[in-house]
Amino acid sequence: MEKLYYTYQMIHKLAQSIAGQVTESGFNPDVIVAIGTGGFIPARILRTYLGKPILAVGIAYYDLNDKPMDYPRKVQWIEEAEKKLAGKRILLVDEVDDSRVTLEYCTKELLAYHPAALAVAVLHDKHKEKRGAFPPGVSKVFVGEALGDVWIVYPWDAHDIDEQDRNAALERGAET
Amino acid sequence: MEKLYYTYQMIHKLAQSIAGQVTESGFNPDVIVAIGTGGFIPARILRTYLGKPILAVGIAYYDLNDKPMDYPRKVQWIEEAEKKLAGKRILLVDEVDDSRVTLEYCTKELLAYHPAALAVAVLHDKHKEKRGAFPPGVSKVFVGEALGDVWIVYPWDAHDIDEQDRNAALERGAET
């Protein structure tokens, strides 16, 4: 599978572009909910542009003892979620919409708290067959960049950040 | 006050250096606890090197409705914290040890859950008079870089990431 390398600068600009889309759409979130751990960095950058607080949720196919699980499970959720999220406009953030399973799970859980509105933002949407679906309560989906079914290599996963940057530059020529 | 600009690459390498210190020290965390929102990005990078799950806590001087508060308060904490953290080795992560008030607060709260061990990691420690103190239960403090009392400008706060990178390069010459 083709690997696509991203620099932090590219990610920062994708988040900036998403923030622009959010503002232009008229969607004015009260709170950003970051899906950990992939959503932490895009959510934190979005916070710079949108100026909203972040709550974090942890979803994993592995539990804290690294035992594999058959379905996504909450590693961490929001305490008193019903009180904090009822009537609020939520922007749920993750790095990528891949199979959509995690996003379906999280959006359904959040809708149970009766937010005023729920939108989703992802840096990347992979155009591929999705095993999950957005429930009707999701009013908007903001996408930084649409891609094919490629292997996205995010900078925060790099063991050698200089090599990551070289790979991204090689791949894209002068584009970066 | 002097401003010091950091690129994402510099932050990534500081986190990498902290991970090296953690490994060399023999401290082997079971779980990373990120203090939001400043700790999200360093914690996520540390996860790459240490391979441990992240739990997030939110601490703020402002509540979710942006009302100022007199003391740090939990915006989000860890559900069933006692069960999840009792007997675990915790690495608590934030971006900067400034007044130490937030770190004192968080370490005291975490120690109440009787972890097996608690260490702290920060990208930066500002050498200045501290209003807070680490309780005796904190076994180690890992610091990426010690600084004077400067104004640290982190890349995730940049509205223009290219300008951030230019400022960091100008400031440090060929060093970056």
Side-chain angles (χ1 to χ4, degrees), chain A residues 8-9 12-13 16 37 41 44-45 47-49 53-54 56 64-65 75-77 79 84 88 155-159 162 165, chain B residues 8-9 12-13 16 37 40-41 44-45 47-49 53 56 64-65 75-77 79 84 88 155-159 162 165:
Chain A
Y8 280 112
Q9 283 73 13
H12 194 100
K13 288 176 185 179
Q16 181 175 11
T37 61
I41 291 181
R44 181 57 190 81
I45 303 170
R47 170 166 166 72
T48 292
Y49 293 102
I54 303 175
L64 278 185
N65 300 312
V75 172
Q76 175 171 22
W77 202 248
E79 277 176 291
K84 281 194 175 157
K88 300 277 186 188
W156 50 83
D157 282 322
H159 280 257
D162 293 329
D165 288 353
Chain B
Y8 280 112
Q9 283 73 12
H12 194 101
K13 288 176 184 178
Q16 181 175 11
T37 62
F40 282 176
I41 292 182
R44 181 57 190 80
I45 303 169
R47 170 165 168 71
T48 293
Y49 293 102
L64 277 186
N65 300 312
V75 173
Q76 175 172 23
W77 202 248
E79 279 176 288
K84 281 194 174 156
K88 300 277 186 189
W156 49 82
D157 282 323
H159 281 256
D162 293 330
D165 288 355

Short mmCIF file of all heavy atoms in Angstrom, two decimals, chain A residues 8-9 12-13 16 37 41 44-45 47-49 53-54 56 64-65 75-77 79 84 88 155-159 162 165, chain B residues 8-9 12-13 16 37 40-41 44-45 47-49 53 56 64-65 75-77 79 84 88 155-159 162 165:
data_model
loop_
_atom_site.label_atom_id
_atom_site.label_comp_id
_atom_site.label_asym_id
_atom_site.label_seq_id
_atom_site.Cartn_x
_atom_site.Cartn_y
_atom_site.Cartn_z
N TYR A 8 4.51 18.05 10.22
CA TYR A 8 3.67 18.79 11.17
C TYR A 8 3.10 20.06 10.53
O TYR A 8 1.98 20.46 10.83
CB TYR A 8 4.49 19.19 12.40
CG TYR A 8 4.69 18.10 13.42
CD1 TYR A 8 5.95 17.54 13.64
CD2 TYR A 8 3.63 17.64 14.20
CE1 TYR A 8 6.15 16.56 14.59
CE2 TYR A 8 3.82 16.66 15.16
CZ TYR A 8 5.08 16.12 15.35
OH TYR A 8 5.27 15.15 16.29
N GLN A 9 3.90 20.69 9.68
CA GLN A 9 3.44 21.93 9.05
C GLN A 9 2.21 21.65 8.17
O GLN A 9 1.27 22.45 8.15
CB GLN A 9 4.57 22.55 8.21
CG GLN A 9 5.65 23.27 9.03
CD GLN A 9 6.59 22.33 9.81
OE1 GLN A 9 6.61 21.11 9.59
NE2 GLN A 9 7.35 22.88 10.73
N HIS A 12 -0.70 21.11 10.49
CA HIS A 12 -1.13 22.38 11.07
C HIS A 12 -2.00 23.14 10.07
O HIS A 12 -3.05 23.68 10.42
CB HIS A 12 0.10 23.21 11.47
CG HIS A 12 -0.21 24.37 12.36
ND1 HIS A 12 -0.01 24.34 13.72
CD2 HIS A 12 -0.73 25.60 12.10
CE1 HIS A 12 -0.37 25.49 14.26
NE2 HIS A 12 -0.81 26.29 13.29
N LYS A 13 -1.57 23.15 8.81
CA LYS A 13 -2.33 23.88 7.78
C LYS A 13 -3.65 23.20 7.45
O LYS A 13 -4.64 23.87 7.12
CB LYS A 13 -1.47 24.06 6.52
CG LYS A 13 -0.36 25.08 6.74
CD LYS A 13 0.57 25.19 5.55
CE LYS A 13 1.72 26.15 5.90
NZ LYS A 13 2.67 26.29 4.77
N GLN A 16 -5.88 24.27 10.15
CA GLN A 16 -6.25 25.68 9.90
C GLN A 16 -7.36 25.75 8.84
O GLN A 16 -8.31 26.52 8.98
CB GLN A 16 -5.01 26.43 9.42
CG GLN A 16 -5.24 27.91 9.15
CD GLN A 16 -3.94 28.64 8.79
OE1 GLN A 16 -2.90 28.01 8.54
NE2 GLN A 16 -4.00 29.95 8.77
N THR A 37 -5.87 8.41 20.63
CA THR A 37 -4.87 9.43 20.77
C THR A 37 -4.67 10.21 19.46
O THR A 37 -4.01 11.24 19.47
CB THR A 37 -3.50 8.82 21.17
OG1 THR A 37 -3.08 7.91 20.15
CG2 THR A 37 -3.60 8.08 22.49
N ILE A 41 -3.65 15.85 18.63
CA ILE A 41 -2.86 16.92 18.00
C ILE A 41 -3.73 17.79 17.09
O ILE A 41 -3.73 19.01 17.24
CB ILE A 41 -1.60 16.33 17.33
CG1 ILE A 41 -0.65 15.82 18.46
CG2 ILE A 41 -0.92 17.35 16.42
CD1 ILE A 41 0.67 15.24 18.00
N ARG A 44 -5.85 19.99 19.33
CA ARG A 44 -5.11 21.07 19.99
C ARG A 44 -4.82 22.22 19.02
O ARG A 44 -4.83 23.38 19.41
CB ARG A 44 -3.81 20.53 20.60
CG ARG A 44 -2.98 21.58 21.33
CD ARG A 44 -3.80 22.26 22.44
NE ARG A 44 -3.12 23.42 23.00
CZ ARG A 44 -3.11 24.62 22.46
NH1 ARG A 44 -3.72 24.84 21.31
NH2 ARG A 44 -2.48 25.61 23.06
N ILE A 45 -4.57 21.89 17.76
CA ILE A 45 -4.34 22.96 16.78
C ILE A 45 -5.66 23.67 16.48
O ILE A 45 -5.71 24.90 16.40
CB ILE A 45 -3.69 22.40 15.49
CG1 ILE A 45 -2.37 21.68 15.83
CG2 ILE A 45 -3.43 23.52 14.48
CD1 ILE A 45 -1.77 20.89 14.67
N ARG A 47 -8.02 24.15 18.46
CA ARG A 47 -8.29 25.03 19.60
C ARG A 47 -7.66 26.42 19.41
O ARG A 47 -8.23 27.43 19.82
CB ARG A 47 -7.76 24.38 20.89
CG ARG A 47 -7.77 25.31 22.10
CD ARG A 47 -7.58 24.52 23.38
NE ARG A 47 -7.27 25.39 24.51
CZ ARG A 47 -8.15 26.20 25.09
NH1 ARG A 47 -9.39 26.27 24.63
NH2 ARG A 47 -7.78 26.96 26.11
N THR A 48 -6.49 26.45 18.78
CA THR A 48 -5.81 27.73 18.53
C THR A 48 -6.68 28.63 17.65
O THR A 48 -6.78 29.83 17.88
CB THR A 48 -4.45 27.49 17.86
OG1 THR A 48 -3.60 26.85 18.82
CG2 THR A 48 -3.80 28.79 17.40
N TYR A 49 -7.32 28.04 16.65
CA TYR A 49 -8.10 28.83 15.70
C TYR A 49 -9.53 29.06 16.17
O TYR A 49 -10.14 30.06 15.85
CB TYR A 49 -8.10 28.16 14.32
CG TYR A 49 -6.73 28.17 13.68
CD1 TYR A 49 -5.93 27.02 13.66
CD2 TYR A 49 -6.21 29.33 13.13
CE1 TYR A 49 -4.67 27.03 13.10
CE2 TYR A 49 -4.95 29.36 12.55
CZ TYR A 49 -4.19 28.20 12.55
OH TYR A 49 -2.94 28.22 11.99
N PRO A 53 -12.61 25.08 24.47
CA PRO A 53 -11.97 24.08 25.33
C PRO A 53 -12.06 22.68 24.71
O PRO A 53 -12.91 22.42 23.86
CB PRO A 53 -12.79 24.14 26.62
CG PRO A 53 -14.09 24.73 26.25
CD PRO A 53 -13.86 25.62 25.06
N ILE A 54 -11.17 21.82 25.14
CA ILE A 54 -11.14 20.43 24.64
C ILE A 54 -11.47 19.45 25.76
O ILE A 54 -10.93 19.56 26.85
CB ILE A 54 -9.73 20.06 24.11
CG1 ILE A 54 -9.29 21.03 23.02
CG2 ILE A 54 -9.72 18.62 23.58
CD1 ILE A 54 -7.86 20.77 22.53
N ALA A 56 -11.40 15.21 26.24
CA ALA A 56 -10.77 14.09 25.55
C ALA A 56 -11.52 12.80 25.84
O ALA A 56 -11.99 12.58 26.96
CB ALA A 56 -9.32 13.94 25.99
N LEU A 64 -6.06 -1.08 28.58
CA LEU A 64 -4.88 -0.50 29.21
C LEU A 64 -3.80 -1.54 29.50
O LEU A 64 -2.65 -1.20 29.70
CB LEU A 64 -5.25 0.21 30.52
CG LEU A 64 -5.81 1.64 30.38
CD1 LEU A 64 -6.01 2.26 31.74
CD2 LEU A 64 -4.86 2.50 29.55
N ASN A 65 -4.18 -2.82 29.53
CA ASN A 65 -3.19 -3.87 29.74
C ASN A 65 -2.74 -4.50 28.41
O ASN A 65 -2.17 -5.58 28.39
CB ASN A 65 -3.76 -4.94 30.68
CG ASN A 65 -4.12 -4.34 32.02
OD1 ASN A 65 -3.33 -3.61 32.61
ND2 ASN A 65 -5.34 -4.61 32.49
N VAL A 75 -11.61 3.73 26.64
CA VAL A 75 -10.49 3.74 27.57
C VAL A 75 -10.74 4.85 28.57
O VAL A 75 -10.44 4.76 29.74
CB VAL A 75 -9.17 3.98 26.80
CG1 VAL A 75 -8.01 4.18 27.78
CG2 VAL A 75 -8.87 2.83 25.86
N GLN A 76 -11.29 5.93 28.06
CA GLN A 76 -11.65 7.06 28.90
C GLN A 76 -12.88 7.72 28.31
O GLN A 76 -13.02 7.81 27.10
CB GLN A 76 -10.50 8.07 28.95
CG GLN A 76 -10.87 9.33 29.73
CD GLN A 76 -9.69 10.24 29.98
OE1 GLN A 76 -8.69 10.21 29.27
NE2 GLN A 76 -9.80 11.10 30.98
N TRP A 77 -13.76 8.17 29.16
CA TRP A 77 -14.91 8.89 28.66
C TRP A 77 -15.05 10.18 29.47
O TRP A 77 -14.19 10.47 30.31
CB TRP A 77 -16.17 8.01 28.69
CG TRP A 77 -17.22 8.48 27.75
CD1 TRP A 77 -18.44 9.02 28.07
CD2 TRP A 77 -17.16 8.48 26.31
NE1 TRP A 77 -19.11 9.35 26.92
CE2 TRP A 77 -18.36 9.04 25.84
CE3 TRP A 77 -16.19 8.09 25.39
CZ2 TRP A 77 -18.63 9.22 24.47
CZ3 TRP A 77 -16.46 8.26 24.03
CH2 TRP A 77 -17.65 8.81 23.59
N GLU A 79 -16.54 12.44 32.25
CA GLU A 79 -17.29 12.34 33.49
C GLU A 79 -18.45 13.32 33.47
O GLU A 79 -18.33 14.43 32.96
CB GLU A 79 -16.39 12.65 34.67
CG GLU A 79 -15.58 11.44 35.09
CD GLU A 79 -14.63 11.80 36.20
OE1 GLU A 79 -13.69 12.55 35.92
OE2 GLU A 79 -14.85 11.33 37.33
N LYS A 84 -22.34 17.93 31.09
CA LYS A 84 -21.41 18.81 30.38
C LYS A 84 -21.76 18.99 28.91
O LYS A 84 -21.43 19.99 28.31
CB LYS A 84 -19.98 18.25 30.48
CG LYS A 84 -19.35 18.55 31.81
CD LYS A 84 -17.87 18.30 31.80
CE LYS A 84 -17.28 18.74 33.14
NZ LYS A 84 -16.03 18.10 33.44
N LYS A 88 -25.10 21.44 24.35
CA LYS A 88 -23.90 22.09 23.80
C LYS A 88 -23.74 21.75 22.33
O LYS A 88 -24.19 20.71 21.86
CB LYS A 88 -22.65 21.61 24.55
CG LYS A 88 -22.64 21.89 26.03
CD LYS A 88 -22.17 23.30 26.33
CE LYS A 88 -22.03 23.50 27.83
NZ LYS A 88 -21.77 24.87 28.20
N PRO A 155 3.21 12.69 11.40
CA PRO A 155 4.53 13.06 11.95
C PRO A 155 4.70 12.62 13.41
O PRO A 155 5.81 12.30 13.83
CB PRO A 155 4.56 14.58 11.82
CG PRO A 155 3.13 15.02 11.65
CD PRO A 155 2.44 13.88 10.96
N TRP A 156 3.61 12.61 14.18
CA TRP A 156 3.75 12.26 15.60
C TRP A 156 4.08 10.78 15.81
O TRP A 156 4.46 10.39 16.90
CB TRP A 156 2.51 12.64 16.40
CG TRP A 156 1.20 12.19 15.82
CD1 TRP A 156 0.62 10.96 15.96
CD2 TRP A 156 0.30 12.96 15.01
NE1 TRP A 156 -0.58 10.92 15.30
CE2 TRP A 156 -0.81 12.14 14.71
CE3 TRP A 156 0.31 14.28 14.52
CZ2 TRP A 156 -1.89 12.59 13.94
CZ3 TRP A 156 -0.75 14.72 13.76
CH2 TRP A 156 -1.83 13.88 13.47
N ASP A 157 3.96 9.99 14.76
CA ASP A 157 4.35 8.58 14.86
C ASP A 157 5.80 8.35 14.43
O ASP A 157 6.28 7.21 14.45
CB ASP A 157 3.43 7.71 13.99
CG ASP A 157 2.08 7.48 14.65
OD1 ASP A 157 2.06 7.30 15.88
OD2 ASP A 157 1.06 7.47 13.94
N ALA A 158 6.48 9.41 14.03
CA ALA A 158 7.85 9.26 13.52
C ALA A 158 8.83 8.99 14.65
O ALA A 158 8.82 9.68 15.66
CB ALA A 158 8.27 10.52 12.76
N HIS A 159 9.68 8.00 14.45
CA HIS A 159 10.79 7.80 15.39
C HIS A 159 11.95 8.70 15.01
O HIS A 159 12.78 9.05 15.84
CB HIS A 159 11.21 6.32 15.42
CG HIS A 159 10.30 5.50 16.27
ND1 HIS A 159 10.62 5.07 17.53
CD2 HIS A 159 9.02 5.08 16.06
CE1 HIS A 159 9.60 4.40 18.06
NE2 HIS A 159 8.61 4.39 17.17
N ASP A 162 13.34 13.94 11.30
CA ASP A 162 14.04 14.48 10.12
C ASP A 162 13.79 13.58 8.91
O ASP A 162 13.59 14.07 7.79
CB ASP A 162 15.55 14.57 10.39
CG ASP A 162 15.88 15.62 11.45
OD1 ASP A 162 15.14 16.62 11.56
OD2 ASP A 162 16.87 15.43 12.18
N ASP A 165 10.34 14.22 7.57
CA ASP A 165 10.29 15.43 6.77
C ASP A 165 10.95 15.22 5.40
O ASP A 165 10.45 15.71 4.38
CB ASP A 165 10.98 16.58 7.52
CG ASP A 165 10.15 17.08 8.70
OD1 ASP A 165 8.99 16.63 8.86
OD2 ASP A 165 10.65 17.92 9.46
N TYR B 8 7.77 22.54 15.55
CA TYR B 8 7.30 21.20 15.90
C TYR B 8 8.48 20.21 15.93
O TYR B 8 8.49 19.28 16.74
CB TYR B 8 6.28 20.71 14.88
CG TYR B 8 4.88 21.24 15.07
CD1 TYR B 8 4.31 22.12 14.14
CD2 TYR B 8 4.09 20.84 16.15
CE1 TYR B 8 3.02 22.58 14.28
CE2 TYR B 8 2.80 21.30 16.30
CZ TYR B 8 2.26 22.18 15.36
OH TYR B 8 0.98 22.63 15.51
N GLN B 9 9.42 20.41 15.03
CA GLN B 9 10.55 19.48 14.99
C GLN B 9 11.36 19.55 16.28
O GLN B 9 11.82 18.52 16.80
CB GLN B 9 11.44 19.81 13.77
CG GLN B 9 10.89 19.34 12.42
CD GLN B 9 9.70 20.15 11.90
OE1 GLN B 9 9.38 21.22 12.42
NE2 GLN B 9 9.03 19.63 10.89
N HIS B 12 9.34 17.79 18.92
CA HIS B 12 9.40 16.34 18.72
C HIS B 12 10.71 15.78 19.28
O HIS B 12 10.73 14.75 19.97
CB HIS B 12 9.26 16.02 17.23
CG HIS B 12 8.96 14.58 16.94
ND1 HIS B 12 7.70 14.13 16.62
CD2 HIS B 12 9.76 13.48 16.93
CE1 HIS B 12 7.74 12.81 16.42
NE2 HIS B 12 8.98 12.40 16.60
N LYS B 13 11.81 16.49 19.02
CA LYS B 13 13.12 16.02 19.48
C LYS B 13 13.27 16.17 21.00
O LYS B 13 13.95 15.36 21.64
CB LYS B 13 14.23 16.77 18.75
CG LYS B 13 14.35 16.33 17.30
CD LYS B 13 15.38 17.13 16.52
CE LYS B 13 15.36 16.69 15.06
NZ LYS B 13 16.32 17.46 14.24
N GLN B 16 11.51 13.21 22.29
CA GLN B 16 12.36 12.04 22.06
C GLN B 16 13.46 11.97 23.12
O GLN B 16 13.76 10.89 23.65
CB GLN B 16 12.99 12.16 20.66
CG GLN B 16 13.87 10.99 20.28
CD GLN B 16 14.38 11.11 18.84
OE1 GLN B 16 14.23 12.15 18.19
NE2 GLN B 16 14.96 10.05 18.33
N THR B 37 -4.63 21.54 28.03
CA THR B 37 -4.40 21.07 26.69
C THR B 37 -2.91 21.08 26.30
O THR B 37 -2.55 20.52 25.27
CB THR B 37 -5.17 21.94 25.65
OG1 THR B 37 -4.67 23.29 25.72
CG2 THR B 37 -6.65 21.96 25.97
N PHE B 40 -1.13 17.60 25.63
CA PHE B 40 -1.63 16.66 24.62
C PHE B 40 -0.57 16.30 23.58
O PHE B 40 -0.39 15.13 23.23
CB PHE B 40 -2.84 17.24 23.88
CG PHE B 40 -4.12 17.18 24.65
CD1 PHE B 40 -5.28 17.74 24.12
CD2 PHE B 40 -4.20 16.58 25.90
CE1 PHE B 40 -6.49 17.69 24.82
CE2 PHE B 40 -5.40 16.52 26.61
CZ PHE B 40 -6.54 17.09 26.05
N ILE B 41 0.09 17.32 23.05
CA ILE B 41 1.03 17.07 21.94
C ILE B 41 2.31 16.40 22.44
O ILE B 41 2.70 15.36 21.90
CB ILE B 41 1.25 18.36 21.12
CG1 ILE B 41 -0.07 18.69 20.38
CG2 ILE B 41 2.43 18.21 20.16
CD1 ILE B 41 -0.06 19.90 19.47
N ARG B 44 1.44 12.78 23.21
CA ARG B 44 1.22 11.95 22.02
C ARG B 44 2.54 11.55 21.38
O ARG B 44 2.67 10.44 20.86
CB ARG B 44 0.30 12.67 21.03
CG ARG B 44 -0.01 11.86 19.77
CD ARG B 44 -0.63 10.51 20.11
NE ARG B 44 -0.72 9.61 18.96
CZ ARG B 44 0.29 8.89 18.48
NH1 ARG B 44 1.49 8.93 19.03
NH2 ARG B 44 0.10 8.11 17.45
N ILE B 45 3.51 12.46 21.40
CA ILE B 45 4.83 12.12 20.84
C ILE B 45 5.54 11.12 21.76
O ILE B 45 6.13 10.15 21.29
CB ILE B 45 5.69 13.39 20.61
CG1 ILE B 45 4.95 14.38 19.70
CG2 ILE B 45 7.04 13.02 19.99
CD1 ILE B 45 5.59 15.76 19.61
N ARG B 47 4.19 8.89 23.49
CA ARG B 47 3.57 7.59 23.26
C ARG B 47 4.26 6.82 22.14
O ARG B 47 4.36 5.60 22.19
CB ARG B 47 2.08 7.80 22.93
CG ARG B 47 1.37 6.54 22.44
CD ARG B 47 -0.13 6.71 22.47
NE ARG B 47 -0.82 5.66 21.76
CZ ARG B 47 -0.92 4.39 22.17
NH1 ARG B 47 -0.36 4.05 23.31
NH2 ARG B 47 -1.57 3.51 21.45
N THR B 48 4.70 7.56 21.12
CA THR B 48 5.40 6.92 19.99
C THR B 48 6.66 6.21 20.47
O THR B 48 6.97 5.10 20.04
CB THR B 48 5.76 7.98 18.93
OG1 THR B 48 4.54 8.46 18.35
CG2 THR B 48 6.64 7.41 17.83
N TYR B 49 7.38 6.84 21.39
CA TYR B 49 8.65 6.28 21.84
C TYR B 49 8.48 5.29 23.00
O TYR B 49 9.24 4.36 23.14
CB TYR B 49 9.61 7.40 22.26
CG TYR B 49 10.05 8.25 21.08
CD1 TYR B 49 9.49 9.49 20.85
CD2 TYR B 49 11.00 7.78 20.18
CE1 TYR B 49 9.88 10.26 19.76
CE2 TYR B 49 11.40 8.54 19.09
CZ TYR B 49 10.83 9.78 18.88
OH TYR B 49 11.21 10.51 17.80
N PRO B 53 -0.36 3.69 26.69
CA PRO B 53 -1.62 4.41 26.46
C PRO B 53 -1.63 5.75 27.19
O PRO B 53 -0.88 5.95 28.15
CB PRO B 53 -2.67 3.47 27.04
CG PRO B 53 -1.95 2.60 28.00
CD PRO B 53 -0.53 2.50 27.52
N ALA B 56 -6.22 11.37 29.61
CA ALA B 56 -6.13 12.83 29.59
C ALA B 56 -6.86 13.42 30.78
O ALA B 56 -7.90 12.92 31.19
CB ALA B 56 -6.73 13.36 28.30
N LEU B 64 -15.77 25.71 31.52
CA LEU B 64 -16.22 25.46 30.14
C LEU B 64 -17.03 26.63 29.58
O LEU B 64 -17.19 26.76 28.39
CB LEU B 64 -17.06 24.18 30.06
CG LEU B 64 -16.28 22.87 29.95
CD1 LEU B 64 -17.23 21.71 29.74
CD2 LEU B 64 -15.27 22.91 28.81
N ASN B 65 -17.54 27.47 30.46
CA ASN B 65 -18.28 28.65 30.00
C ASN B 65 -17.38 29.88 29.98
O ASN B 65 -17.87 31.01 29.92
CB ASN B 65 -19.50 28.87 30.88
CG ASN B 65 -20.43 27.67 30.83
OD1 ASN B 65 -20.75 27.18 29.75
ND2 ASN B 65 -20.84 27.17 32.00
N VAL B 75 -11.38 20.32 34.62
CA VAL B 75 -12.32 20.38 33.51
C VAL B 75 -12.72 18.96 33.17
O VAL B 75 -13.85 18.67 32.81
CB VAL B 75 -11.66 21.07 32.29
CG1 VAL B 75 -12.56 20.99 31.07
CG2 VAL B 75 -11.33 22.52 32.60
N GLN B 76 -11.76 18.08 33.27
CA GLN B 76 -12.01 16.67 33.04
C GLN B 76 -11.07 15.87 33.92
O GLN B 76 -9.91 16.25 34.11
CB GLN B 76 -11.76 16.31 31.57
CG GLN B 76 -11.90 14.82 31.30
CD GLN B 76 -11.85 14.49 29.82
OE1 GLN B 76 -11.31 15.21 29.02
NE2 GLN B 76 -12.41 13.34 29.46
N TRP B 77 -11.54 14.79 34.44
CA TRP B 77 -10.67 13.93 35.23
C TRP B 77 -10.84 12.51 34.73
O TRP B 77 -11.52 12.26 33.73
CB TRP B 77 -10.94 14.10 36.73
CG TRP B 77 -9.79 13.68 37.57
CD1 TRP B 77 -9.73 12.62 38.42
CD2 TRP B 77 -8.50 14.30 37.66
NE1 TRP B 77 -8.49 12.54 39.01
CE2 TRP B 77 -7.72 13.55 38.55
CE3 TRP B 77 -7.91 15.40 37.02
CZ2 TRP B 77 -6.39 13.87 38.86
CZ3 TRP B 77 -6.59 15.72 37.32
CH2 TRP B 77 -5.86 14.97 38.23
N GLU B 79 -12.23 8.88 34.87
CA GLU B 79 -13.32 8.11 35.46
C GLU B 79 -12.79 6.83 36.08
O GLU B 79 -11.87 6.21 35.54
CB GLU B 79 -14.35 7.76 34.39
CG GLU B 79 -15.30 8.91 34.12
CD GLU B 79 -16.25 8.55 33.00
OE1 GLU B 79 -15.78 8.49 31.86
OE2 GLU B 79 -17.43 8.32 33.28
N LYS B 84 -8.30 2.52 37.87
CA LYS B 84 -7.38 2.52 36.73
C LYS B 84 -5.95 2.85 37.12
O LYS B 84 -5.02 2.44 36.45
CB LYS B 84 -7.86 3.52 35.68
CG LYS B 84 -9.01 2.98 34.86
CD LYS B 84 -9.27 3.81 33.62
CE LYS B 84 -10.33 3.13 32.77
NZ LYS B 84 -11.02 4.07 31.90
N LYS B 88 -0.47 1.40 39.51
CA LYS B 88 0.17 1.62 38.21
C LYS B 88 1.34 2.59 38.34
O LYS B 88 1.38 3.43 39.23
CB LYS B 88 -0.84 2.23 37.22
CG LYS B 88 -2.06 1.39 36.95
CD LYS B 88 -1.80 0.34 35.89
CE LYS B 88 -3.11 -0.38 35.56
NZ LYS B 88 -2.90 -1.54 34.70
N PRO B 155 4.57 25.81 18.86
CA PRO B 155 4.09 25.83 17.48
C PRO B 155 2.58 25.64 17.37
O PRO B 155 1.95 26.20 16.47
CB PRO B 155 4.85 24.68 16.81
CG PRO B 155 5.33 23.80 17.93
CD PRO B 155 5.55 24.72 19.09
N TRP B 156 1.99 24.87 18.29
CA TRP B 156 0.55 24.61 18.18
C TRP B 156 -0.28 25.85 18.48
O TRP B 156 -1.47 25.85 18.21
CB TRP B 156 0.13 23.45 19.07
CG TRP B 156 0.62 23.50 20.49
CD1 TRP B 156 0.04 24.21 21.52
CD2 TRP B 156 1.76 22.84 21.04
NE1 TRP B 156 0.76 24.00 22.67
CE2 TRP B 156 1.83 23.17 22.41
CE3 TRP B 156 2.73 21.98 20.51
CZ2 TRP B 156 2.83 22.68 23.26
CZ3 TRP B 156 3.72 21.50 21.35
CH2 TRP B 156 3.76 21.85 22.71
N ASP B 157 0.34 26.88 19.03
CA ASP B 157 -0.38 28.13 19.27
C ASP B 157 -0.24 29.10 18.10
O ASP B 157 -0.79 30.21 18.14
CB ASP B 157 0.13 28.81 20.54
CG ASP B 157 -0.42 28.16 21.80
OD1 ASP B 157 -1.60 27.76 21.77
OD2 ASP B 157 0.31 28.04 22.79
N ALA B 158 0.50 28.71 17.07
CA ALA B 158 0.76 29.62 15.95
C ALA B 158 -0.47 29.77 15.07
O ALA B 158 -1.09 28.77 14.69
CB ALA B 158 1.92 29.10 15.11
N HIS B 159 -0.82 31.01 14.74
CA HIS B 159 -1.86 31.25 13.74
C HIS B 159 -1.24 31.16 12.34
O HIS B 159 -1.93 30.88 11.38
CB HIS B 159 -2.55 32.58 13.97
CG HIS B 159 -3.56 32.51 15.07
ND1 HIS B 159 -4.92 32.48 14.84
CD2 HIS B 159 -3.41 32.40 16.41
CE1 HIS B 159 -5.56 32.39 15.99
NE2 HIS B 159 -4.67 32.33 16.96
N ASP B 162 4.15 29.10 9.22
CA ASP B 162 5.37 29.47 8.47
C ASP B 162 6.11 30.59 9.19
O ASP B 162 7.35 30.59 9.28
CB ASP B 162 5.01 29.91 7.05
CG ASP B 162 4.46 28.76 6.21
OD1 ASP B 162 4.86 27.60 6.46
OD2 ASP B 162 3.63 29.02 5.32
N ASP B 165 7.93 29.20 12.15
CA ASP B 165 9.18 28.53 11.76
C ASP B 165 10.26 29.56 11.39
O ASP B 165 11.43 29.38 11.74
CB ASP B 165 8.92 27.58 10.57
CG ASP B 165 8.14 26.34 11.01
OD1 ASP B 165 7.90 26.17 12.22
OD2 ASP B 165 7.77 25.54 10.13
#
